[in-house]
Structure formats: structure tokens, C-alpha cells
Amino acid sequence: MPAPTIAIIGGGPCGLTLACLLERKNIDYVVYERDESENSKLMGGSLDLLPESGQLALREAGLFDEFKKHARYDDTVFTVADKLGEMVVEIGQGRDAPEIDRTELRRLLLAAIPKDKIKWGHTLTSVTVGEDNKSVLHFANGVVLSGFELVVGTDGTWSKVRSKITQATPQYTGKGVVISKIDHDNPLYGITAKKVGAGNYLTIGSGKYTMIQRQGNGSYRVSFGFSAPENFFRNGTKNLQDAENTRNQLLSGFYADWSEKYKDLIRYATDLYTLPLYTLSTEDIGWKSVPGVTLAGDAAHLSFIGGSGVNLALTDSLKLASKIADPGTESLDKAVQEYEADMFPRGISRIAEGHVMEAVMYSEDPQAFIEIMSS
């Protein structure tokens, strides 16, 4: 059996949106995803999709009506406070940037893709070049595949496809996040729900932040962002002993001068895991196009988290699918060249914006963040 025309590496929002768009255009493809099944637990909270980017991609994929059934338009509000817990401003009401849980977005994207077009349990370990000059994909499960006309790396921060195009490597920002949650049965749930309500509650002070974000089921995702050595964040999901040690470090060190309201979040939040933050540099963007391979999303232009990453990723998927399907495009290689020429400025801008967001999120007070959000 001949290989599908296009191999998509990674079944996150970027890869699955690209698959949906190619499906509608009757272009042959297959998605290789490291998760064992569609029911695998996903890390990540809610995503806000903007009308000219994320929403537009879903419209083109024929999924906007389904998206609206699950989009939370009342969660656009942003309450900003200082480290003493005093509210400074409430912004964002009425924005056309509804939230949707990452799990719900995956569900609606998967529903539009034939089950045989996604290969679960396929973790890409390397990409080599075969005698026919096409990419050979090596997976951790021992599977080796080749014959694709195009391999698209939508495999995120540590993309294995990236090395076939550029030597760019993500660099640690010096910052990271401890992520946790407040479920309905948590003793702090009632207080949190009353304080936060809908949307996001962001507190900035002393070079660090906390973010409380309502999820689709009414629970709250709580993030603590601060500067620390890279190895502090390297362990990922914590066991109970590590979680208690992490709490103690947050309480006695990083957040020692914060209000007891925030210390209670540290004491009672559950399911702690750590997320070190990495970025590519603007100088990394602008490589010479390589036949038969390209990148999209974080694999192409990883930047500091700030909300617009998923929108840019879905825009990449839309632009690439459109170039591939354009009857005026001479070949897949030409389509990739045109897509990348269009994507590079977006990626550079996103990384630059990420540096700005990093500076204001990890600042001494929330004023700079408020000015950016209000501009």
C-alpha cells in the first residue's frame, strides 16, 4: 500500500486542524500522535480563539457551529489584582475571544477526522533521509515509515522534525509555572468560585504571578509563575511527597510575601505539575526551505506563553492547507516555500511579543500588563 501523501507529526490543535482542513479538501494525509488513544489525559487548560485566526480556521474546517456549542463567551473577562489580593481592574468583557477547553477542542477536531487517519501510540524519535531522498520516520514503538511527499512537524517544543530543517534549539527562559487545580470537592472551591467567578483572575507582583482560570466543568486551573533554575521544573508531574515539598518551597520562598489568600491556593490546590518555559529566538526564524518537510505551530516558532500561541498555530494550519490545495501551486515543495515565506513574519512577531509578555507577567506590579491588554 503506498504511503499517504502527507504525514502530520503531532495530534495537538495545530496538527488536527491541518488534518481537518486537508480532509475537506480531499487531500491524502495521516496523523501520527504519541498519545495512546483519544482518551489519553491532556495537560492544559482553556484556550481563547480569536475571530481572525483560530475561529477563522475552524470556519474553514466546517466546525464553527460545533465550536459555538462549547465556546464560553462569558469567560473572556480578565480580573487583574496585586499580590495583596486587591483588585486593580476588570477588563475584557464582551471580547470576541471565547474560551474552550483543550480537551473539548480536541474532541470536536477528532470527530471530523476518519479514525483510520490517526495513528495513536506513535512517538517520533528521529527523521532520516532514504535512498529516494524522502523522509524516513522512526517511531519509539519500532515502526519505520517512508514514502511521504511531505512531512509536517506539528510536534511542539521538542519537535523531532525541526532538526531536518534548522539547528535551532529552544532555550530556557529562566522561568516556569507550577500548575494545579481546584475541583468542586476542594475545601477552597466555594471561596475561589465566589472570588473569581467567570473568566480569569491574574495577580502580578514581586516578579511572579498567579493565574486562576475557570474551566468548562466549573473547576479552576491555578498557575504559579516564577523564576527558578531549570531543574526545579524538570520533574513534571509530582508524587505526593514532591508535591508537599513544592508547596513548602512556594510558601516559604517564592510567595512568602504574598497575601494569605494566595497561600491558601498553594496549600489546597491539587494535582501539581511543573512546566518550564522555553522559546526560540527571532533569529531562528527564516530558514532555507527543505524539500519534503516543514513545520507549523510551536515546532516552527515556539515563544513564551501568552494566549495567542494556539491562534497562530491554527493560522499556520489554515495557510498551509490553502497553499497545498491551491490549483495554481506547481508542487508541494512550492506550496511549502510560499507557506513558509508567509509564516516567517508571523513567527518572528509572535516571538517578539512573547518577550514583551514575559517581561510584564513577571514584573513587580500589574500596571504594565494592564496597559498592554488595554491598548
Side-chain angles (χ1 to χ4, degrees):
M1 181 181 296
T5 303
I6 299 171
I8 301 170
I9 308 301
C14 184
L16 294 182
T17 299
L18 177 58
C20 289
L21 292 163
L22 294 178
E23 182 69 27
R24 281 179 66 87
K25 298 174 186 298
N26 295 313
I27 296 171
D28 195 23
Y29 68 91
V30 64
V31 179
Y32 295 101
E33 165 56 32
R34 66 183 178 182
D35 284 350
E36 290 300 319
S37 76
E38 60 185 285
N39 299 316
S40 297
K41 185 177 180 180
L42 279 180
M43 297 295 187
S46 290
L47 305 166
D48 61 325
L49 299 190
L50 303 176
E52 70 281 3
S53 49
Q55 291 183 38
L56 178 60
L58 293 183
R59 286 182 187 276
E60 292 297 316
L63 297 172
F64 190 69
D65 287 342
E66 185 66 20
F67 164 74
K68 288 193 297 184
K69 295 177 183 177
H70 305 280
R72 306 193 306 276
Y73 286 84
D74 58 337
D75 276 343
T76 63
V77 62
F78 240 103
T79 301
V80 185
D82 62 26
K83 67 181 184 181
L84 300 179
E86 298 299 322
M87 186 181 79
V88 177
V89 69
E90 195 174 76
I91 55 180
Q93 303 94 324
R95 287 191 309 140
D96 187 5
E99 300 274 350
I100 185 170
D101 285 0
R102 182 177 292 268
T103 52
E104 200 60 49
L105 180 59
R106 173 187 260 195
R107 186 200 62 76
L108 72 89
L109 290 169
L110 285 174
I113 302 170
K115 292 186 180 298
D116 63 346
K117 294 290 187 73
I118 302 182
K119 307 302 179 185
W120 300 99
H122 281 66
T123 300
L124 187 70
T125 56
S126 66
V127 183
T128 58
V129 179
E131 293 181 357
D132 58 358
N133 289 323
K134 293 182 179 179
S135 296
V136 181
L137 307 179
H138 302 259
F139 296 93
N141 59 8
V143 173
V144 179
L145 298 169
S146 62
F148 306 100
E149 296 297 324
L150 176 63
V151 174
V152 184
T154 63
D155 45 344
T157 301
W158 302 112
S159 170
K160 298 298 183 182
V161 181
R162 187 189 293 125
S163 64
K164 302 308 297 181
I165 299 175
T166 171
Q167 295 306 305
T169 302
Q171 299 299 308
Y172 179 53
T173 62
K175 303 174 179 65
V177 186
V178 172
I179 299 172
S180 59
K181 67 179 181 178
I182 301 288
D183 272 329
H184 294 79
D185 58 355
N186 192 295
L188 209 63
Y189 180 81
I191 295 173
T192 304
K194 183 177 180 180
K195 175 181 179 179
V196 179
N200 304 271
Y201 196 103
L202 174 67
T203 304
I204 296 174
S206 301
K208 55 189 72 74
Y209 75 85
T210 67
M211 169 83 83
I212 311 172
Q213 182 187 55
R214 189 173 72 165
Q215 305 299 286
N217 65 357
S219 67
Y220 289 90
R221 185 175 191 252
V222 186
S223 304
F224 305 93
F226 50 91
S227 300
E230 186 177 13
N231 60 10
F232 180 93
F233 299 101
R234 274 281 173 97
N235 294 329
T237 303
K238 303 282 188 176
N239 61 34
L240 181 59
Q241 182 177 357
D242 286 336
E244 291 309 311
N245 181 51
T246 299
R247 290 184 209 277
N248 290 334
Q249 290 185 67
L250 296 181
L251 288 167
S252 63
F254 296 107
Y255 289 88
D257 62 341
W258 281 51
S259 161
E260 287 297 317
K261 301 173 185 177
Y262 297 104
K263 292 182 179 179
D264 278 345
L265 289 172
I266 297 169
R267 295 182 181 110
Y268 289 100
T270 62
D271 300 307
L272 276 66
Y273 68 94
T274 59
L275 181 68
L277 300 178
Y278 298 87
T279 184
L280 292 170
S281 72
T282 55
E283 290 76 16
D284 290 329
I285 312 302
W287 54 82
K288 182 180 178 181
S289 189
V290 177
V293 62
T294 192
L295 303 171
D298 283 348
H301 40 65
L302 175 70
S303 64
F304 179 82
I305 56 175
S308 64
V310 68
N311 287 288
L312 185 54
L314 268 59
T315 297
D316 286 351
S317 297
L318 177 58
K319 298 287 189 178
L320 179 55
S322 298
K323 288 295 183 183
I324 292 171
D326 186 347
T329 303
E330 303 171 5
S331 64
L332 274 177
D333 288 343
K334 184 64 174 177
V336 166
Q337 291 172 15
E338 293 179 358
Y339 154 73
E340 290 178 343
D342 179 67
M343 177 266 289
F344 290 152
R346 293 197 305 273
I348 290 170
S349 177
R350 172 67 188 116
I351 292 171
E353 290 169 2
H355 290 313
V356 174
M357 187 59 68
E358 177 185 354
V360 301
M361 291 282 284
Y362 292 81
S363 61
E364 292 303 309
D365 61 61
Q367 193 56 45
F369 175 84
I370 294 170
E371 290 174 4
I372 287 178
M373 293 294 289
S374 300
S375 62

